[in-house]
Amino acid sequence: MNNKVTKLALVLLLICAVTAGILGVVNALTFEQIAYNKMMKQISAFSAVLPSESGYTEVPFDGRAFPTVDSINQSNDGNGYVVTSTFSGAQGNITMACGVDNELKCTGISIIEHKETSGLGAVAASTSNKGVAFREQFIGQGADIALTKAGGTIDALAGATITSTAVTNATATSIAAVAALG
Amino acid sequence: MFAKIVEISLGAILINNFIFSQFLGCCPFLGCSNKVDTATGMGLAVVFVMGLASAICWVIYTYILVPLNLAFLNTLAFILVIAALVQFVEMFLKKSVPSLYSALGIYLPLITTNCAVLGVVLLNVQNKYNFIESVVYGITGGIGFMLAIVLFASVRERTEFSDYPECFNGFAICLVSAALVALAFMGFSGMKIM
Amino acid sequence: MNRKQQFREGLITNNPVLVQQIGMCATMAITTTLFNGIGMGLSVLIILTCCNVVVAALRKIIPEEIRLAIFVVVIAGFVTIVDLLLQAFIPALSESLGVFIPLIVVNCIIIGRAEAFCQKNTVKDSFFDGIFQGLGYTCVLIIMCVFRELVGSGRFGGGLIDITNGFRFTLDGTGGGIQIFPADYGMGIMNLPFGGFLTLGLLIGLMQYALKKGEKKKKLEERAAKEAAAMKEVEE
C-alpha cells in the first residue's frame, strides 16, 4: 500500500516537474517579447496623447484625493503631463491615458485597456472613424468638461452613455489631479 | 478602503455578475439548476470554495510564485491548489461536519472544473487586488453565482409547464430563458456608488 | 478507425458544443467578433490536439487513480504555453480574449476527450480526434460570431478583415471589418450577454431539430427497405 502511494506520488511529481521545466523554457523564450509589447503599448498610448521627445518621469501625487488615478507622468520636454487612471465603465474597468498641458487643457485621450461591449462602448477605444471622432472631441477641453446632456460639448457615443460618461468624468478627474499638483 | 470593498461586492454580485455578464461557471449553472434546492446547495458550495480558494491562491501567488519569478506558472499552480483544496474540504467536512457534508458533499467534486473558481483567482491577480479585496471578491462573486443559479432554478421550474417547440428540449430552452434573465441583469450595468 | 466517421462526429453528430453541450462559457463570452472566434477556436484546437497526443502516448503509464490530476497538469501546461506565445506574438488576441485563454484549462471539452477517447485509443486516432473535435468547436464559434456580429452591428469579420485600403487580413485586431449595413440599424443587444445566451440556445435547438429530422428520415428509409424486402418475399 505504502509502496503504491509513493509510486503514484513519484509519477505525479515527475509529470509536474517535466511540465514546469518545459514552461520555464517557453517563458524564457517569450519573456523579453512580452515585456517589449507591454512597454511599446504604454509608449504608444503616451505619445498619442502628449508627444514627448525625451520621455516621461513619474511624479508623486495625492492618491487619497484621486483614488482612480494610477500615475502622473511629467513630460521631460516640459509640455505637460500624462495621467493614467483606472475606473469602472459599463462592463468592467477601463484603463486610460489622458494628456494634460500646462494650461490644464486636455491634449487627447487613449484607452489602454477595457472590457466594454463590442460595437457599443468599445467604439470609444477603436480606430474606426467614429472612435477617432469621439476621442478628438476631448482635445482642448478644460476641467469643466461634460457631455452635451449635462450642458457640455461632448457628444456621447450612440448606445454607450455609461462608457461616454465614465470616460468624460475620468478626463475631468485627470485634469483636476494635475491641477492639484500645483 | 470601505468604499472600495462595497464597490467590489456590489460589482461582483450585481453589476458584473459572474454568470450573466462574465459567463463564468455556465456549465454547473445549466447542469445544476433543475430544482431550487439543488441550486441552493451548489451555490453554497461555490461561495465556500471560492472564498477559500481566493485566500489561499493569493497567499501562494504573492509569497511563493512572485518572489521566485514563477508568476507564469500561475494557471498550473492555481488549478492544482483548487483541486487539492476541494479534495481536502470534502474529507474535512465528511469527518467533522457530517450535516454540512450531506448537504454539499455531492457538489464539491463538480467544483474543480467550475470555471468561476479558477476565473475568480485569475481575476484577483489581474485586478491586482490585495488580500482582503481578493477574499471579498471571491465570496461576493460566489454569492452572485448563487443568486443567479437560485433565481434561474425557479425560472426553470416554470418552463416545465410551458409549451415550447419539442426540438428546444433540454439545454436549448434553458439558454433562451437564461438570455431573458441576463436581460434583467443588464439593468444593473453602470450602477455606481462613488 | 474510420477518419470520415470521426470527421462527421466532430463536426456534426457528436459536436462538442451543440451535441455534447460542454465548453459553453467561452462559446458565449467571446463570440462578439470574428477575430476573437477564430483565435479562440484555433487555440482550443491546438491545445486539444497536443493534449490528446500526449495523453494517448502516456496512456499505458498513467496510473488509474491519479489520471485526472495528470490530465489537468498536462492541459494546464499546454494552455500556459499557448497563453505565453499569444502574449508575445499576437498581443491583441491575448488582450481581447483575456481570462478566457487560461480558462481553457477547465474547458470540459479537453478533459472530456482525454477521459472518453484518448485513454482507450492510439496516438494517431487521438490526433485526428483532437483536430476534428477542435474543428467542430471552431465552426460553432465562427457561426455564432458571424451571426452576432451581423445582427448586432451589421459587420462581417471585425478585427480580422480590413477593406479601407483594399482587402487584407489584419492579425493585430485593428481591422474594421466589412460593413454590410450601418451599425446604427443593428440590434446592439446581440453583442451583450443576452445575445450570447440567445444565439447558442437557438443554435442548439436548430441542431436538435436537424438531428431528429435526419433520424426520422433514416427510420423511414429503413422501414421502406424492410417493406420492400417483405414484398419481394411475398411475391416469390
Side-chain angles (χ1 to χ4, degrees), chain A residues 4 8 11-12 15-16 19 22-23 26-27 30 33-34 37 41 91 112 117-120 127 130, chain C residues 32-33 63 65-66 69-70 73 77 80-81 84-85 87-89 91 95 155 174 184 188 191-192:
Chain A
K4 200 174 173 199
L8 289 184
V11 172
L12 191 58
I15 290 190
C16 282
T19 315
I22 296 173
L23 288 184
V26 175
N27 182 55
T30 53
Q33 184 69 37
I34 293 172
N37 287 345
K41 202 174 162 199
Q91 297 289 322
I112 303 176
T117 318
S118 168
L120 298 173
T127 48
K130 250 193 200 169
Chain C
T32 44
T33 62
E65 296 89 337
I66 51 164
I70 291 179
V73 173
T80 312
I81 292 176
L84 288 174
L85 290 177
Q87 276 182 34
F89 301 111
E95 245 161 60
R155 252 185 332 169
T174 52
D184 297 346
N191 290 328
L192 295 169

Side-chain angles (χ1 to χ4, degrees), chain B residues 115 120 144:
Chain B
C115 52
V120 81

Side-chain angles (χ1 to χ4, degrees), chain B residues 73-138:
Chain B
L73 282 181
N74 61 3
T75 314
L76 183 63
F78 291 165
I79 188 75
L80 286 176
V81 168
I82 292 169
L85 176 73
V86 170
Q87 201 88 129
F88 276 125
V89 168
E90 201 181 343
M91 283 183 336
F92 173 75
L93 285 186
K94 206 173 185 176
K95 268 204 182 128
S96 34
V97 202
S99 58
L100 196 60
Y101 178 77
S102 60
L104 303 184
I106 47 168
Y107 307 107
L108 281 171
L110 290 174
I111 288 179
T112 316
T113 53
N114 182 341
C115 52
V117 181
L118 185 61
V120 81
V121 290
L122 287 169
L123 286 173
N124 281 337
V125 169
Q126 211 178 63
N127 294 344
K128 299 189 188 82
Y129 284 153
N130 65 26
F131 183 74
I132 296 173
E133 288 166 353
S134 296
V135 175
V136 168
Y137 192 54

Side-chain angles (χ1 to χ4, degrees), chain C residues 5 47 68 102 112 192:
Chain C
Q5 194 198 334
I47 294 168
L68 285 178
L192 295 169

Side-chain angles (χ1 to χ4, degrees), chain B residues 20 22-27 30 72 75-76 79-80 113 115 119 122 166-169 171-172 175 178-179 183 186, chain C residues 21 24-25 28-29 72-73 76 80 99-100 102-103 105-106 108 189 192-194 197-198 201-202 204-205 208-209 212:
Chain B
F20 292 124
Q22 309 197 43
F23 292 109
L24 293 173
C26 290
C27 291
L30 293 168
F72 64 92
T75 314
L76 183 63
I79 188 75
L80 286 176
T113 53
C115 52
L122 287 169
E166 202 190 336
C167 60
F168 274 89
N169 250 333
F171 273 18
L175 284 166
L183 198 61
M186 251 179 66
Chain C
Q21 302 179 337
M24 300 207 268
C25 305
M28 292 186 277
V72 167
V73 173
T80 312
V99 78
F100 284 96
L103 281 181
V105 177
V106 282
C108 325
I189 200 164
L192 295 169
F194 168 79
F197 281 111
L198 188 69
L202 292 180
I204 290 179
Q208 284 176 350
Y209 178 73
K212 222 173 220 169

